[in-house]
mmCIF file with all atom_site columns, all heavy atoms in Angstrom:
data_model
loop_
_atom_site.group_PDB
_atom_site.id
_atom_site.type_symbol
_atom_site.label_atom_id
_atom_site.label_alt_id
_atom_site.label_comp_id
_atom_site.label_asym_id
_atom_site.label_entity_id
_atom_site.label_seq_id
_atom_site.pdbx_PDB_ins_code
_atom_site.Cartn_x
_atom_site.Cartn_y
_atom_site.Cartn_z
_atom_site.occupancy
_atom_site.B_iso_or_equiv
_atom_site.pdbx_formal_charge
_atom_site.auth_seq_id
_atom_site.auth_comp_id
_atom_site.auth_asym_id
_atom_site.auth_atom_id
_atom_site.pdbx_PDB_model_num
ATOM 1   N N   . ARG A 1 258 ? -98.701 -21.621 -88.144 1.00 98.00 ? 258 ARG A N   1
ATOM 2   C CA  . ARG A 1 258 ? -97.591 -21.681 -87.190 1.00 98.00 ? 258 ARG A CA  1
ATOM 3   C C   . ARG A 1 258 ? -96.251 -21.452 -87.902 1.00 98.00 ? 258 ARG A C   1
ATOM 4   O O   . ARG A 1 258 ? -95.335 -20.859 -87.344 1.00 98.00 ? 258 ARG A O   1
ATOM 5   C CB  . ARG A 1 258 ? -97.626 -23.013 -86.431 1.00 98.00 ? 258 ARG A CB  1
ATOM 6   C CG  . ARG A 1 258 ? -98.836 -23.091 -85.478 1.00 98.00 ? 258 ARG A CG  1
ATOM 7   C CD  . ARG A 1 258 ? -98.999 -24.442 -84.810 1.00 98.00 ? 258 ARG A CD  1
ATOM 8   N NE  . ARG A 1 258 ? -97.766 -24.921 -84.229 1.00 98.00 ? 258 ARG A NE  1
ATOM 9   C CZ  . ARG A 1 258 ? -97.227 -24.445 -83.112 1.00 98.00 ? 258 ARG A CZ  1
ATOM 10  N NH1 . ARG A 1 258 ? -97.832 -23.482 -82.448 1.00 98.00 ? 258 ARG A NH1 1
ATOM 11  N NH2 . ARG A 1 258 ? -96.093 -24.922 -82.666 1.00 98.00 ? 258 ARG A NH2 1
ATOM 12  N N   . GLU A 1 259 ? -96.190 -21.915 -89.146 1.00 98.00 ? 259 GLU A N   1
ATOM 13  C CA  . GLU A 1 259 ? -94.986 -21.706 -89.956 1.00 98.00 ? 259 GLU A CA  1
ATOM 14  C C   . GLU A 1 259 ? -94.779 -20.200 -90.223 1.00 98.00 ? 259 GLU A C   1
ATOM 15  O O   . GLU A 1 259 ? -93.673 -19.681 -90.094 1.00 98.00 ? 259 GLU A O   1
ATOM 16  C CB  . GLU A 1 259 ? -95.238 -22.434 -91.276 1.00 98.00 ? 259 GLU A CB  1
ATOM 17  C CG  . GLU A 1 259 ? -94.051 -22.893 -92.071 1.00 98.00 ? 259 GLU A CG  1
ATOM 18  C CD  . GLU A 1 259 ? -94.566 -23.710 -93.267 1.00 98.00 ? 259 GLU A CD  1
ATOM 19  O OE1 . GLU A 1 259 ? -94.810 -24.927 -93.075 1.00 98.00 ? 259 GLU A OE1 1
ATOM 20  O OE2 . GLU A 1 259 ? -94.762 -23.140 -94.356 1.00 98.00 ? 259 GLU A OE2 1
ATOM 21  N N   . ILE A 1 260 ? -95.866 -19.529 -90.601 1.00 98.00 ? 260 ILE A N   1
ATOM 22  C CA  . ILE A 1 260 ? -95.794 -18.086 -90.875 1.00 98.00 ? 260 ILE A CA  1
ATOM 23  C C   . ILE A 1 260 ? -95.403 -17.334 -89.601 1.00 98.00 ? 260 ILE A C   1
ATOM 24  O O   . ILE A 1 260 ? -94.552 -16.443 -89.627 1.00 98.00 ? 260 ILE A O   1
ATOM 25  C CB  . ILE A 1 260 ? -97.142 -17.573 -91.444 1.00 98.00 ? 260 ILE A CB  1
ATOM 26  C CG1 . ILE A 1 260 ? -97.364 -18.146 -92.849 1.00 98.00 ? 260 ILE A CG1 1
ATOM 27  C CG2 . ILE A 1 260 ? -97.193 -16.042 -91.452 1.00 98.00 ? 260 ILE A CG2 1
ATOM 28  C CD1 . ILE A 1 260 ? -98.746 -17.891 -93.430 1.00 98.00 ? 260 ILE A CD1 1
ATOM 29  N N   . ALA A 1 261 ? -96.001 -17.733 -88.477 1.00 98.00 ? 261 ALA A N   1
ATOM 30  C CA  . ALA A 1 261 ? -95.688 -17.068 -87.200 1.00 98.00 ? 261 ALA A CA  1
ATOM 31  C C   . ALA A 1 261 ? -94.212 -17.242 -86.862 1.00 98.00 ? 261 ALA A C   1
ATOM 32  O O   . ALA A 1 261 ? -93.544 -16.284 -86.450 1.00 98.00 ? 261 ALA A O   1
ATOM 33  C CB  . ALA A 1 261 ? -96.568 -17.622 -86.084 1.00 98.00 ? 261 ALA A CB  1
ATOM 34  N N   . ALA A 1 262 ? -93.688 -18.438 -87.057 1.00 98.00 ? 262 ALA A N   1
ATOM 35  C CA  . ALA A 1 262 ? -92.272 -18.698 -86.748 1.00 98.00 ? 262 ALA A CA  1
ATOM 36  C C   . ALA A 1 262 ? -91.369 -17.805 -87.607 1.00 98.00 ? 262 ALA A C   1
ATOM 37  O O   . ALA A 1 262 ? -90.373 -17.256 -87.125 1.00 98.00 ? 262 ALA A O   1
ATOM 38  C CB  . ALA A 1 262 ? -91.949 -20.166 -86.962 1.00 98.00 ? 262 ALA A CB  1
ATOM 39  N N   . TYR A 1 263 ? -91.756 -17.652 -88.866 1.00 98.00 ? 263 TYR A N   1
ATOM 40  C CA  . TYR A 1 263 ? -90.984 -16.790 -89.773 1.00 98.00 ? 263 TYR A CA  1
ATOM 41  C C   . TYR A 1 263 ? -91.023 -15.331 -89.297 1.00 98.00 ? 263 TYR A C   1
ATOM 42  O O   . TYR A 1 263 ? -89.987 -14.663 -89.210 1.00 98.00 ? 263 TYR A O   1
ATOM 43  C CB  . TYR A 1 263 ? -91.535 -16.917 -91.199 1.00 98.00 ? 263 TYR A CB  1
ATOM 44  C CG  . TYR A 1 263 ? -90.941 -15.913 -92.167 1.00 98.00 ? 263 TYR A CG  1
ATOM 45  C CD1 . TYR A 1 263 ? -89.628 -16.045 -92.625 1.00 98.00 ? 263 TYR A CD1 1
ATOM 46  C CD2 . TYR A 1 263 ? -91.698 -14.838 -92.630 1.00 98.00 ? 263 TYR A CD2 1
ATOM 47  C CE1 . TYR A 1 263 ? -89.080 -15.118 -93.497 1.00 98.00 ? 263 TYR A CE1 1
ATOM 48  C CE2 . TYR A 1 263 ? -91.161 -13.914 -93.511 1.00 98.00 ? 263 TYR A CE2 1
ATOM 49  C CZ  . TYR A 1 263 ? -89.851 -14.050 -93.945 1.00 98.00 ? 263 TYR A CZ  1
ATOM 50  O OH  . TYR A 1 263 ? -89.303 -13.129 -94.797 1.00 98.00 ? 263 TYR A OH  1
ATOM 51  N N   . TYR A 1 264 ? -92.221 -14.843 -88.940 1.00 98.00 ? 264 TYR A N   1
ATOM 52  C CA  . TYR A 1 264 ? -92.337 -13.461 -88.451 1.00 98.00 ? 264 TYR A CA  1
ATOM 53  C C   . TYR A 1 264 ? -91.550 -13.270 -87.146 1.00 98.00 ? 264 TYR A C   1
ATOM 54  O O   . TYR A 1 264 ? -90.901 -12.246 -86.956 1.00 98.00 ? 264 TYR A O   1
ATOM 55  C CB  . TYR A 1 264 ? -93.812 -13.096 -88.219 1.00 98.00 ? 264 TYR A CB  1
ATOM 56  C CG  . TYR A 1 264 ? -94.605 -12.753 -89.468 1.00 98.00 ? 264 TYR A CG  1
ATOM 57  C CD1 . TYR A 1 264 ? -95.993 -12.867 -89.465 1.00 98.00 ? 264 TYR A CD1 1
ATOM 58  C CD2 . TYR A 1 264 ? -93.982 -12.283 -90.625 1.00 98.00 ? 264 TYR A CD2 1
ATOM 59  C CE1 . TYR A 1 264 ? -96.756 -12.535 -90.589 1.00 98.00 ? 264 TYR A CE1 1
ATOM 60  C CE2 . TYR A 1 264 ? -94.732 -11.956 -91.752 1.00 98.00 ? 264 TYR A CE2 1
ATOM 61  C CZ  . TYR A 1 264 ? -96.116 -12.080 -91.727 1.00 98.00 ? 264 TYR A CZ  1
ATOM 62  O OH  . TYR A 1 264 ? -96.872 -11.751 -92.822 1.00 98.00 ? 264 TYR A OH  1
ATOM 63  N N   . HIS A 1 265 ? -91.636 -14.259 -86.241 1.00 98.00 ? 265 HIS A N   1
ATOM 64  C CA  . HIS A 1 265 ? -90.890 -14.152 -84.972 1.00 98.00 ? 265 HIS A CA  1
ATOM 65  C C   . HIS A 1 265 ? -89.422 -13.848 -85.277 1.00 98.00 ? 265 HIS A C   1
ATOM 66  O O   . HIS A 1 265 ? -88.813 -12.956 -84.707 1.00 98.00 ? 265 HIS A O   1
ATOM 67  C CB  . HIS A 1 265 ? -90.918 -15.472 -84.193 1.00 98.00 ? 265 HIS A CB  1
ATOM 68  C CG  . HIS A 1 265 ? -92.225 -15.821 -83.566 1.00 98.00 ? 265 HIS A CG  1
ATOM 69  N ND1 . HIS A 1 265 ? -93.263 -14.942 -83.418 1.00 98.00 ? 265 HIS A ND1 1
ATOM 70  C CD2 . HIS A 1 265 ? -92.655 -16.989 -83.011 1.00 98.00 ? 265 HIS A CD2 1
ATOM 71  C CE1 . HIS A 1 265 ? -94.275 -15.547 -82.808 1.00 98.00 ? 265 HIS A CE1 1
ATOM 72  N NE2 . HIS A 1 265 ? -93.923 -16.799 -82.559 1.00 98.00 ? 265 HIS A NE2 1
ATOM 73  N N   . GLU A 1 266 ? -88.879 -14.652 -86.203 1.00 98.00 ? 266 GLU A N   1
ATOM 74  C CA  . GLU A 1 266 ? -87.459 -14.574 -86.509 1.00 98.00 ? 266 GLU A CA  1
ATOM 75  C C   . GLU A 1 266 ? -87.100 -13.230 -87.139 1.00 98.00 ? 266 GLU A C   1
ATOM 76  O O   . GLU A 1 266 ? -86.126 -12.588 -86.751 1.00 98.00 ? 266 GLU A O   1
ATOM 77  C CB  . GLU A 1 266 ? -87.130 -15.728 -87.445 1.00 98.00 ? 266 GLU A CB  1
ATOM 78  C CG  . GLU A 1 266 ? -85.655 -15.984 -87.628 1.00 98.00 ? 266 GLU A CG  1
ATOM 79  C CD  . GLU A 1 266 ? -85.429 -16.991 -88.736 1.00 98.00 ? 266 GLU A CD  1
ATOM 80  O OE1 . GLU A 1 266 ? -86.062 -18.071 -88.703 1.00 98.00 ? 266 GLU A OE1 1
ATOM 81  O OE2 . GLU A 1 266 ? -84.642 -16.669 -89.652 1.00 98.00 ? 266 GLU A OE2 1
ATOM 82  N N   . ARG A 1 267 ? -87.925 -12.792 -88.091 1.00 98.00 ? 267 ARG A N   1
ATOM 83  C CA  . ARG A 1 267 ? -87.622 -11.547 -88.800 1.00 98.00 ? 267 ARG A CA  1
ATOM 84  C C   . ARG A 1 267 ? -87.882 -10.297 -87.958 1.00 98.00 ? 267 ARG A C   1
ATOM 85  O O   . ARG A 1 267 ? -87.180 -9.298  -88.081 1.00 98.00 ? 267 ARG A O   1
ATOM 86  C CB  . ARG A 1 267 ? -88.474 -11.457 -90.085 1.00 98.00 ? 267 ARG A CB  1
ATOM 87  C CG  . ARG A 1 267 ? -88.163 -12.471 -91.167 1.00 98.00 ? 267 ARG A CG  1
ATOM 88  C CD  . ARG A 1 267 ? -86.834 -12.239 -91.884 1.00 98.00 ? 267 ARG A CD  1
ATOM 89  N NE  . ARG A 1 267 ? -86.536 -10.860 -92.274 1.00 98.00 ? 267 ARG A NE  1
ATOM 90  C CZ  . ARG A 1 267 ? -86.951 -10.272 -93.387 1.00 98.00 ? 267 ARG A CZ  1
ATOM 91  N NH1 . ARG A 1 267 ? -87.697 -10.931 -94.252 1.00 98.00 ? 267 ARG A NH1 1
ATOM 92  N NH2 . ARG A 1 267 ? -86.627 -9.020  -93.659 1.00 98.00 ? 267 ARG A NH2 1
ATOM 93  N N   . LEU A 1 268 ? -88.928 -10.342 -87.118 1.00 98.00 ? 268 LEU A N   1
ATOM 94  C CA  . LEU A 1 268 ? -89.400 -9.100  -86.493 1.00 98.00 ? 268 LEU A CA  1
ATOM 95  C C   . LEU A 1 268 ? -88.964 -8.903  -85.049 1.00 98.00 ? 268 LEU A C   1
ATOM 96  O O   . LEU A 1 268 ? -89.032 -7.785  -84.522 1.00 98.00 ? 268 LEU A O   1
ATOM 97  C CB  . LEU A 1 268 ? -90.935 -9.040  -86.582 1.00 98.00 ? 268 LEU A CB  1
ATOM 98  C CG  . LEU A 1 268 ? -91.511 -9.174  -88.009 1.00 98.00 ? 268 LEU A CG  1
ATOM 99  C CD1 . LEU A 1 268 ? -93.033 -9.143  -87.962 1.00 98.00 ? 268 LEU A CD1 1
ATOM 100 C CD2 . LEU A 1 268 ? -90.985 -8.074  -88.927 1.00 98.00 ? 268 LEU A CD2 1
ATOM 101 N N   . ALA A 1 269 ? -88.501 -9.971  -84.409 1.00 98.00 ? 269 ALA A N   1
ATOM 102 C CA  . ALA A 1 269 ? -88.153 -9.880  -82.978 1.00 98.00 ? 269 ALA A CA  1
ATOM 103 C C   . ALA A 1 269 ? -87.157 -8.755  -82.655 1.00 98.00 ? 269 ALA A C   1
ATOM 104 O O   . ALA A 1 269 ? -87.249 -8.148  -81.586 1.00 98.00 ? 269 ALA A O   1
ATOM 105 C CB  . ALA A 1 269 ? -87.646 -11.223 -82.467 1.00 98.00 ? 269 ALA A CB  1
ATOM 106 N N   . PRO A 1 270 ? -86.206 -8.430  -83.552 1.00 98.00 ? 270 PRO A N   1
ATOM 107 C CA  . PRO A 1 270 ? -85.297 -7.328  -83.211 1.00 98.00 ? 270 PRO A CA  1
ATOM 108 C C   . PRO A 1 270 ? -85.982 -5.953  -83.167 1.00 98.00 ? 270 PRO A C   1
ATOM 109 O O   . PRO A 1 270 ? -85.400 -5.005  -82.645 1.00 98.00 ? 270 PRO A O   1
ATOM 110 C CB  . PRO A 1 270 ? -84.261 -7.352  -84.352 1.00 98.00 ? 270 PRO A CB  1
ATOM 111 C CG  . PRO A 1 270 ? -84.385 -8.688  -84.995 1.00 98.00 ? 270 PRO A CG  1
ATOM 112 C CD  . PRO A 1 270 ? -85.802 -9.111  -84.798 1.00 98.00 ? 270 PRO A CD  1
ATOM 113 N N   . TYR A 1 271 ? -87.188 -5.844  -83.697 1.00 98.00 ? 271 TYR A N   1
ATOM 114 C CA  . TYR A 1 271 ? -87.818 -4.522  -83.863 1.00 98.00 ? 271 TYR A CA  1
ATOM 115 C C   . TYR A 1 271 ? -89.077 -4.315  -83.027 1.00 98.00 ? 271 TYR A C   1
ATOM 116 O O   . TYR A 1 271 ? -89.377 -3.190  -82.641 1.00 98.00 ? 271 TYR A O   1
ATOM 117 C CB  . TYR A 1 271 ? -88.173 -4.303  -85.346 1.00 98.00 ? 271 TYR A CB  1
ATOM 118 C CG  . TYR A 1 271 ? -86.995 -4.534  -86.258 1.00 98.00 ? 271 TYR A CG  1
ATOM 119 C CD1 . TYR A 1 271 ? -86.805 -5.763  -86.884 1.00 98.00 ? 271 TYR A CD1 1
ATOM 120 C CD2 . TYR A 1 271 ? -86.049 -3.521  -86.455 1.00 98.00 ? 271 TYR A CD2 1
ATOM 121 C CE1 . TYR A 1 271 ? -85.716 -5.991  -87.707 1.00 98.00 ? 271 TYR A CE1 1
ATOM 122 C CE2 . TYR A 1 271 ? -84.952 -3.742  -87.270 1.00 98.00 ? 271 TYR A CE2 1
ATOM 123 C CZ  . TYR A 1 271 ? -84.787 -4.977  -87.891 1.00 98.00 ? 271 TYR A CZ  1
ATOM 124 O OH  . TYR A 1 271 ? -83.707 -5.190  -88.690 1.00 98.00 ? 271 TYR A OH  1
ATOM 125 N N   . VAL A 1 272 ? -89.842 -5.385  -82.830 1.00 98.00 ? 272 VAL A N   1
ATOM 126 C CA  . VAL A 1 272 ? -91.128 -5.249  -82.126 1.00 98.00 ? 272 VAL A CA  1
ATOM 127 C C   . VAL A 1 272 ? -91.258 -6.375  -81.094 1.00 98.00 ? 272 VAL A C   1
ATOM 128 O O   . VAL A 1 272 ? -90.483 -7.327  -81.118 1.00 98.00 ? 272 VAL A O   1
ATOM 129 C CB  . VAL A 1 272 ? -92.335 -5.339  -83.109 1.00 98.00 ? 272 VAL A CB  1
ATOM 130 C CG1 . VAL A 1 272 ? -92.283 -4.229  -84.156 1.00 98.00 ? 272 VAL A CG1 1
ATOM 131 C CG2 . VAL A 1 272 ? -92.400 -6.713  -83.795 1.00 98.00 ? 272 VAL A CG2 1
ATOM 132 N N   . HIS A 1 273 ? -92.264 -6.239  -80.224 1.00 98.00 ? 273 HIS A N   1
ATOM 133 C CA  . HIS A 1 273 ? -92.590 -7.343  -79.311 1.00 98.00 ? 273 HIS A CA  1
ATOM 134 C C   . HIS A 1 273 ? -93.394 -8.373  -80.116 1.00 98.00 ? 273 HIS A C   1
ATOM 135 O O   . HIS A 1 273 ? -94.491 -8.068  -80.583 1.00 98.00 ? 273 HIS A O   1
ATOM 136 C CB  . HIS A 1 273 ? -93.402 -6.803  -78.129 1.00 98.00 ? 273 HIS A CB  1
ATOM 137 C CG  . HIS A 1 273 ? -93.907 -7.855  -77.211 1.00 98.00 ? 273 HIS A CG  1
ATOM 138 N ND1 . HIS A 1 273 ? -93.203 -8.295  -76.115 1.00 98.00 ? 273 HIS A ND1 1
ATOM 139 C CD2 . HIS A 1 273 ? -95.048 -8.584  -77.235 1.00 98.00 ? 273 HIS A CD2 1
ATOM 140 C CE1 . HIS A 1 273 ? -93.883 -9.244  -75.507 1.00 98.00 ? 273 HIS A CE1 1
ATOM 141 N NE2 . HIS A 1 273 ? -95.014 -9.435  -76.165 1.00 98.00 ? 273 HIS A NE2 1
ATOM 142 N N   . VAL A 1 274 ? -92.830 -9.552  -80.311 1.00 98.00 ? 274 VAL A N   1
ATOM 143 C CA  . VAL A 1 274 ? -93.522 -10.580 -81.104 1.00 98.00 ? 274 VAL A CA  1
ATOM 144 C C   . VAL A 1 274 ? -94.297 -11.520 -80.169 1.00 98.00 ? 274 VAL A C   1
ATOM 145 O O   . VAL A 1 274 ? -93.890 -11.720 -79.024 1.00 98.00 ? 274 VAL A O   1
ATOM 146 C CB  . VAL A 1 274 ? -92.540 -11.386 -81.987 1.00 98.00 ? 274 VAL A CB  1
ATOM 147 C CG1 . VAL A 1 274 ? -91.888 -10.494 -83.030 1.00 98.00 ? 274 VAL A CG1 1
ATOM 148 C CG2 . VAL A 1 274 ? -91.489 -12.115 -81.164 1.00 98.00 ? 274 VAL A CG2 1
ATOM 149 N N   . PRO A 1 275 ? -95.424 -12.066 -80.676 1.00 98.00 ? 275 PRO A N   1
ATOM 150 C CA  . PRO A 1 275 ? -96.280 -12.898 -79.810 1.00 98.00 ? 275 PRO A CA  1
ATOM 151 C C   . PRO A 1 275 ? -95.742 -14.322 -79.643 1.00 98.00 ? 275 PRO A C   1
ATOM 152 O O   . PRO A 1 275 ? -96.307 -15.279 -80.180 1.00 98.00 ? 275 PRO A O   1
ATOM 153 C CB  . PRO A 1 275 ? -97.627 -12.890 -80.545 1.00 98.00 ? 275 PRO A CB  1
ATOM 154 C CG  . PRO A 1 275 ? -97.261 -12.720 -81.986 1.00 98.00 ? 275 PRO A CG  1
ATOM 155 C CD  . PRO A 1 275 ? -96.024 -11.862 -82.004 1.00 98.00 ? 275 PRO A CD  1
ATOM 156 N N   . ARG A 1 276 ? -94.644 -14.443 -78.920 1.00 96.00 ? 276 ARG A N   1
ATOM 157 C CA  . ARG A 1 276 ? -94.052 -15.770 -78.715 1.00 96.00 ? 276 ARG A CA  1
ATOM 158 C C   . ARG A 1 276 ? -94.966 -16.659 -77.894 1.00 96.00 ? 276 ARG A C   1
ATOM 159 O O   . ARG A 1 276 ? -95.738 -16.174 -77.076 1.00 96.00 ? 276 ARG A O   1
ATOM 160 C CB  . ARG A 1 276 ? -92.723 -15.628 -77.981 1.00 96.00 ? 276 ARG A CB  1
ATOM 161 C CG  . ARG A 1 276 ? -91.635 -15.082 -78.864 1.00 96.00 ? 276 ARG A CG  1
ATOM 162 C CD  . ARG A 1 276 ? -90.293 -15.643 -78.452 1.00 96.00 ? 276 ARG A CD  1
ATOM 163 N NE  . ARG A 1 276 ? -89.214 -14.875 -79.070 1.00 96.00 ? 276 ARG A NE  1
ATOM 164 C CZ  . ARG A 1 276 ? -88.761 -15.085 -80.299 1.00 96.00 ? 276 ARG A CZ  1
ATOM 165 N NH1 . ARG A 1 276 ? -89.286 -16.044 -81.048 1.00 96.00 ? 276 ARG A NH1 1
ATOM 166 N NH2 . ARG A 1 276 ? -87.791 -14.344 -80.793 1.00 96.00 ? 276 ARG A NH2 1
ATOM 167 N N   . GLU A 1 277 ? -94.823 -17.966 -78.101 1.00 96.00 ? 277 GLU A N   1
ATOM 168 C CA  . GLU A 1 277 ? -95.611 -18.914 -77.310 1.00 96.00 ? 277 GLU A CA  1
ATOM 169 C C   . GLU A 1 277 ? -94.990 -19.049 -75.925 1.00 96.00 ? 277 GLU A C   1
ATOM 170 O O   . GLU A 1 277 ? -93.768 -19.044 -75.784 1.00 96.00 ? 277 GLU A O   1
ATOM 171 C CB  . GLU A 1 277 ? -95.611 -20.278 -77.992 1.00 96.00 ? 277 GLU A CB  1
ATOM 172 C CG  . GLU A 1 277 ? -96.419 -20.259 -79.274 1.00 96.00 ? 277 GLU A CG  1
ATOM 173 C CD  . GLU A 1 277 ? -96.177 -21.484 -80.133 1.00 96.00 ? 277 GLU A CD  1
ATOM 174 O OE1 . GLU A 1 277 ? -95.002 -21.818 -80.374 1.00 96.00 ? 277 GLU A OE1 1
ATOM 175 O OE2 . GLU A 1 277 ? -97.160 -22.096 -80.560 1.00 96.00 ? 277 GLU A OE2 1
#
Side-chain angles (χ1 to χ4, degrees):
R258 291 174 49 74
E259 205 174 276
I260 291 171
Y263 171 73
Y264 282 157
H265 288 346
E266 193 189 309
R267 293 289 315 275
L268 305 178
Y271 308 96
V272 299
H273 174 91
V274 296
R276 286 212 194 276
E277 290 167 310

